[in-house]
């Protein structure tokens, strides 16, 4: 049971590539760390995804999205998740568990890209608008992984 | 779509009665507030359950338990949830979202009953040991509702 | 000992007016709730500030800013807070306690304005650049109060 | 500016020894990991204390305790912290930031020892009853460090 491999595969099956998350990290950190490379960003995203807490949150969130798509979720929860009701906060709660892995400094970055929706997050969001697709959790999970990776880079950068 | 009614019914279908949660509140607060009545405890549990954030967390957590029972969750997540793997923290994460509704003072009470397992929590835990039942989320949800209610009583009590 | 009054006064003594926080709320919610009025925004900010959890976080954060200004904080903590070191996350941690009062849906709004720095947050940030002023906590506290108020408005709006 | 060394020294100046925190870890984990040694516990506590997020929370919390003792905190905050008012949750909030470093599985352990008060936590609590001493933050910080260390041991243990 390789949780790391399963997590990567599950993300890919939902059209999310590690490289695209790494681009979000570049978007967040390029202004602060000029010499940040895509290579380093990709490695850091992989480091984040190797954390047990992150794997559990990602697998659970994507399961909830897929169960909603497959009509396995009973009402009234089905409608709440499917409409990504503005008041449903469980997606943000799972995202927070990911962000927290590298401390609270990631909070700001998470909120920033979650609302600005650059690159991959916009793509995930648009895909979710198809009536057969539910990405209620996925966009928050992806933003949280990028924010956590940005925090890790900030921590590492300071030690240099 | 009445989320409050659905939440109560869902808890009852999992063998959890409001009165039993109220007993946990009595267990937590009796030492501090001598004249606390069962009636007040029950009302406070109902107040907690009328919060949207709480309803969402409870319905999502119980859905995850039931989906696990029905074998709807794919591996490797299935085994992680079904065994209530010591390292799976999504149940505590959802519980925290409930506790936080009345502030961080509920954290201690949550951890305390979650590990001591008085009354209802022990019952839920024992039921979960049956191979056909999964209560991975339910015991944490119930402990969190009781802890949140205890916090609300502490807040109210101070104002008197 | 009126904590509400003290909190308002303390914010004003740091050049933060309720009206300016309400403008941040308008900035966050105007796109979603067209008929939101300044009056309603102001009232909601006052509601947020009447929560005990919020008062405690605001008073503690501002005390830490003022203690830093007055050179009461010993090294190495002094330098960490005074430089608003990118890795110091206690300010975000206190802010999160405020945001959480109305659930995790406020997380995104908090991160968004904390990094975009509209209106008051930019003002607080600029004031903090003066060598005699420390606003390390204040900008996060203000953003968190606005984000919490926006969440409350979203909750109330849905019930209408 | 060595934050690790400062954090250890500050804890010692408040009568908290690494060994005593390690004893709390033994108390929490001995039932689950039979061959856990004091040596491993001590090393894990040191690992926890080497995290930047933990150092910041510990130094900030102890500063608040000491500032309260020295009468540097203005009213009404002074009375709230000095009495360790049941409704003051900033101490738990800082503790949570420490616990979260190894994920939400530490929440339960934190609440459990914070309320049961074994060994060192009882000592810190008793010392705080002296009118010249304020340990409002210290007991939560110490419990959180032990809970985080227990989580780290659980994570490591699984990999063996």
């Amino acid at each position: 049971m390789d949780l790391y491999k399963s997590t990567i595969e599950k993300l890919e099956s939902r059209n999310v590539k590690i490289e695209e998350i790494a681009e979000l990290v570049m978007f967040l950190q390029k202004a602060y760390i000029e010499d940040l490379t895509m290579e380093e960003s990709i490695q850091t995203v992989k480091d984040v995804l190797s954390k047990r807490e992150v794997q559990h949150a990602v697998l659970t969130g994507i399961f909830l999205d897929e169960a909603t798509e497959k009509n396995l979720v009973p009402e009234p929860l089905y409608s709440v998740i499917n409409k990504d009701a503005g008041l449903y906060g469980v997606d943000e709660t799972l995202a927070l568990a990911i962000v927290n892995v590298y401390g609270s400094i990631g909070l700001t970055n998470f909120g920033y890209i979650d609302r600005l929706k650059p690159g991959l997050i916009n793509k995930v969001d648009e895909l979710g608008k198809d009536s057969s697709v539910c990405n209620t959790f996925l966009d928050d999970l992806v933003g949280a992984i990028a924010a956590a990776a940005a925090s890790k880079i900030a921590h590492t950068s300071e030690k240099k």
Side-chain angles (χ1 to χ4, degrees), chain A:
Chain A
M1 186 178 72
D2 187 332
L3 283 167
Y4 174 72
K5 214 178 130 213
S6 297
T7 305
I8 305 271
E9 284 173 4
K10 193 50 98 175
L11 284 167
E12 282 175 357
S13 80
R14 303 296 295 178
N15 294 303
V16 171
K17 295 201 190 76
I18 304 297
E19 288 73 19
E20 291 171 300
I21 307 182
E23 277 162 17
L24 292 175
V25 180
M26 295 294 284
F27 172 84
L28 286 170
Q29 288 303 84
K30 208 70 181 100
Y32 306 105
I33 301 167
E34 285 176 35
D35 57 351
L36 181 65
T37 63
M38 249 317 256
E39 209 183 341
E40 194 181 341
S41 280
I42 289 174
Q43 186 51 52
T44 310
V45 171
K46 288 180 180 171
D47 291 346
V48 170
L49 291 171
S50 71
K51 293 264 179 183
R52 194 55 54 95
E53 187 91 358
V54 175
Q55 293 160 355
H56 289 158
V58 170
L59 292 173
T60 304
I62 294 180
F63 168 70
L64 286 163
D65 276 347
E66 293 188 337
T68 305
E69 284 174 5
K70 291 175 190 158
N71 239 311
L72 302 175
V73 183
E75 289 289 3
L77 185 60
Y78 174 81
S79 293
V80 172
I81 300 182
N82 197 39
K83 296 184 307 181
D84 192 4
L87 299 180
Y88 187 62
V90 179
D91 39 354
E92 279 90 0
T93 298
L94 283 196
L96 185 59
I98 293 174
V99 172
N100 275 337
V101 165
Y102 294 102
S104 49
I105 60 166
L107 269 181
T108 302
N109 277 335
F110 167 68
Y112 183 63
I113 54 175
D114 200 54
R115 189 143 170 187
L116 210 67
K117 300 191 189 305
L120 173 63
I121 299 188
N122 184 53
K123 182 183 118 181
V124 169
D125 217 54
E126 288 297 318
L127 288 171
K129 284 174 184 163
D130 186 295
S131 65
S132 67
V133 178
C134 175
N135 279 343
T136 295
F137 281 86
L138 189 61
D139 62 340
D140 289 312
L141 295 170
V142 161
I145 296 166
S151 299
K152 187 173 196 288
I153 287 170
H155 279 286
T156 312
S157 162
E158 197 221 23
K159 283 176 195 157
K160 282 177 187 168

